[in-house]
Amino acid sequence: MRVLVIGGGAREHAICKAVCDSGGELYSVMKNLNPGIKRLAKDCFIHNETDAEKVLEYALKKKIELAIIGPEAPEEAGVTNVLEENGIKVASPSKEAAEIETSKEFMRNLMEKYKIKGSVKCRVFSDAEMAKEFIEMLDGEVAVKPIGLTGGKGVKVAGDHFNSIEEAVKYAKEVIEKKIGGHSKVLIEEKVVGEEFTLQAFCDGNAIYPMPAVQDHKRLLPGDKGPNTGGMGSYSHKSGILPFMTPDDYEEAATILQKIVEALKKEGRQYKGVIYGQFMLTASGVKVIEINARFGDPEAMNVLPLLKTNYLEICMAMVEGNLSNKKISFENKSTVCKYVVPEGYGIKPVAGKEIKVNEEKIRENGGLLFYASVNEENGKIYTTTSRSLAIVGIAEEIEEAEKICEKCLQFVEGEHIFIRHDIGKKELIEKRIKHMEMLRG
């Protein structure tokens, strides 16, 4: 089967590997030359991934039978719709279904309309004065969010990014005036306290099949300090749930995703592809932080290498609406993923610096390497302003997987790189467990 994967990050490298492992002939459209994808693909087209007409032109020329979209921006640009209108199957949601991610306002309204559990107190404002009243009503204990896409970097939370009502109002005003996220609107939500986790699921428009839960680490620095990033790394446990969760928490999150898919169908926006919930486990159960219309990045790299079922068969089952007839299974292993990023990432990243990667040594030591936003020129790898590459360790226990990951990170060298080393370490996981125990009382 001739398969086109759209996107050039580490998540897409993991998707491309799964496509090839499932016997697909790989083609790629990406805006940067990802060396990992380039080696796997029969052919690559370096171009803007949101240019639907050019993506279609390339897909028709290469006689593509199935397309998979990695990032959210091409979905928002209607790439799925254009491909499907021209007879190409797509295992990713349409522009209308993807609005569950591309508009936080739409997502919150949908949950309210269909009385889906897990919502939080929230309102959308286009007037900073009215936003101020709502922020004051919640005593400044709020999350301030742009409505549209900001690459996971636009959300600011009380206690983490600001410490007063005035600072929250100032950022809300900035979001409205500068149209951060593409709209002169801001979403104000009550701050929820707990432990964040990701649940990804395959979806065929009717049924979902949830994958192992993953915990991502958005903050740049050890101990969850520093600015928000696109994600510095993540881990998963062989049980499929995380050490601070119960099976009931997992079920609650999966039920919320199922209800959202049903609500989208009722709205005439049938959802096909991978969907995921960013959830907060609180003292009063599971709350929705956001819903995303794709695999997570880095979370895709925790789950895809564990997939035992043929990935392309799952993609076809999602497209054809018969996922419930498919037997899907994952290896019962733990994973730890850590990103290598350019120095200054999240603030003022240093681009164009060389990174040396000893791929053979990483392989020999049991690690998996996924290239992200780098450029390959004359056989050398250079940083861009975004994340550079990820290393994944897989083992029985998280502790073991973390050691493999750390060992393999030694084979990545560069004067201007940064890694958050505490991800997956015993101390940090124990801190998460204690935090949940305290909240649950």
Side-chain angles (χ1 to χ4, degrees):
M1 186 189 283
R2 297 161 81 91
V3 183
L4 174 64
V5 174
I6 297 154
R11 162 186 48 216
E12 289 75 37
H13 187 181
I15 291 169
C16 289
K17 186 178 183 305
V19 165
C20 294
D21 289 348
S22 299
E25 184 174 288
L26 179 69
Y27 294 81
S28 159
V29 173
M30 51 182 161
K31 59 176 185 278
N32 58 294
L33 186 57
N34 181 312
I37 295 174
K38 181 190 160 195
R39 265 172 251 160
L40 292 170
K42 182 105 195 245
D43 188 66
C44 296
F45 177 38
I46 307 300
H47 191 76
N48 182 353
E49 300 145 8
T50 58
D51 185 342
E53 290 308 320
K54 283 284 186 219
V55 173
L56 171 67
E57 200 180 293
Y58 179 75
L60 291 172
K61 191 168 89 181
K62 297 295 174 188
K63 298 185 173 61
I64 297 301
E65 295 162 85
L66 174 74
I68 300 161
I69 300 174
E72 60 279 20
E75 294 174 348
E76 187 180 38
V79 171
T80 298
N81 303 46
V82 169
L83 292 172
E84 284 183 340
E85 282 156 18
N86 287 274
I88 296 165
K89 293 182 167 85
V90 188
S92 298
S94 65
K95 180 187 171 86
E96 295 74 23
E99 210 176 333
I100 197 69
E101 169 169 12
T102 61
S103 168
K104 293 182 182 73
E105 182 179 13
F106 170 74
M107 183 269 284
R108 288 297 181 199
N109 289 343
L110 186 86
M111 287 186 72
E112 196 179 328
K113 180 177 175 179
Y114 291 93
K115 297 184 171 44
I116 298 169
K117 261 181 78 174
S119 216
V120 295
K121 278 184 208 151
C122 61
R123 275 186 65 190
V124 172
F125 299 94
S126 47
D127 179 309
E129 275 308 305
M130 290 177 81
K132 182 178 181 227
E133 279 179 40
F134 191 64
I135 290 166
E136 285 171 345
M137 196 178 92
L138 294 170
D139 290 329
E141 288 300 301
V142 294
V144 180
K145 300 182 174 187
I147 296 292
L149 301 176
T150 58
K153 301 173 191 79
V155 176
K156 293 198 175 179
V157 183
D160 290 341
H161 308 98
F162 53 82
N163 294 301
S164 67
I165 288 172
E166 292 71 34
E167 285 175 45
V169 173
K170 187 183 168 195
Y171 183 56
K173 197 175 171 194
E174 192 187 327
V175 171
I176 293 168
E177 287 174 358
K178 292 186 178 170
K179 292 190 176 179
I180 296 173
H183 306 267
S184 41
K185 286 177 174 181
V186 67
L187 173 65
I188 309 293
E189 295 179 352
E190 65 171 309
K191 179 185 175 180
V192 282
V193 178
E195 282 299 329
E196 220 168 315
F197 70 93
T198 300
L199 185 61
Q200 304 170 105
F202 297 115
C203 176
D204 68 357
N206 302 303
I208 67 161
Y209 186 93
M211 305 182 213
V214 182
Q215 187 172 45
D216 180 20
H217 298 67
K218 286 275 184 215
R219 306 298 284 277
L220 178 71
L221 303 171
D224 300 319
K225 303 271 194 296
N228 261 356
T229 69
M232 292 299 293
S234 44
Y235 69 92
S236 68
H237 186 256
K238 62 180 179 184
S239 62
I241 63 171
L242 294 161
F244 55 81
M245 289 171 76
T246 68
D248 286 350
D249 300 328
Y250 181 94
E251 281 305 317
E252 199 178 333
T255 302
I256 290 168
L257 281 181
Q258 180 64 47
K259 298 271 186 224
I260 284 169
V261 166
E262 288 164 12
L264 283 167
K265 191 181 177 184
K266 284 175 191 157
E267 292 288 311
R269 302 173 185 239
Q270 197 170 28
Y271 191 105
K272 294 185 175 191
V274 170
I275 187 167
Y276 88 81
Q278 198 69 44
F279 295 104
M280 185 75 83
L281 182 54
T282 73
S284 55
V286 173
K287 303 287 180 194
V288 174
I289 301 298
E290 59 185 28
I291 303 293
N292 292 301
R294 53 189 165 83
F295 269 114
D297 186 350
E299 297 97 328
M301 293 175 276
N302 297 90
V303 297
L304 277 171
L306 301 180
L307 186 60
K308 291 205 286 194
T309 313
N310 184 294
Y311 174 57
L312 289 179
E313 286 176 16
I314 297 172
C315 287
M316 290 310 290
M318 290 194 285
V319 169
E320 287 160 4
N322 55 12
L323 195 62
S324 32
N325 302 336
K326 191 100 205 97
K327 181 154 173 29
I328 298 172
S329 63
F330 290 86
E331 274 186 72
N332 299 326
K333 293 273 178 78
S334 301
T335 68
V336 173
C337 170
K338 299 188 197 193
Y339 255 117
V340 175
V341 304
E343 197 175 71
Y345 177 62
I347 309 149
K348 202 178 169 194
V350 179
K353 301 291 178 189
E354 191 187 346
I355 302 183
K356 290 183 176 144
V357 185
N358 190 331
E359 294 186 14
E360 208 173 304
K361 282 284 187 197
I362 292 168
R363 226 180 354 259
E364 276 172 22
N365 285 277
L368 294 177
L369 164 69
F370 296 105
Y371 282 105
S373 283
V374 289
N375 279 311
E376 187 175 28
E377 289 166 36
N378 307 321
K380 290 182 175 181
I381 310 288
Y382 296 94
T383 59
T384 65
T385 56
S386 197
R387 296 172 291 182
S388 303
L389 59 92
I391 302 279
V392 179
I394 300 175
E396 276 297 305
E397 300 303 330
I398 294 170
E399 216 173 323
E400 249 177 285
E402 193 274 334
K403 283 182 180 140
I404 293 168
C405 182
E406 275 297 321
K407 196 172 184 186
C408 294
L409 282 165
Q410 294 172 37
F411 305 112
V412 180
E413 289 176 64
E415 279 177 38
H416 300 276
I417 57 172
F418 176 76
I419 300 156
R420 185 174 158 183
H421 288 288
D422 68 338
I423 294 163
K425 290 230 189 278
K426 201 177 174 183
E427 305 73 47
L428 191 62
I429 290 169
E430 278 172 0
K431 186 179 148 190
R432 308 258 188 251
I433 296 166
K434 285 197 178 87
H435 184 215
M436 264 336 291
E437 282 171 355
M438 185 193 79
L439 288 176
R440 292 194 205 249

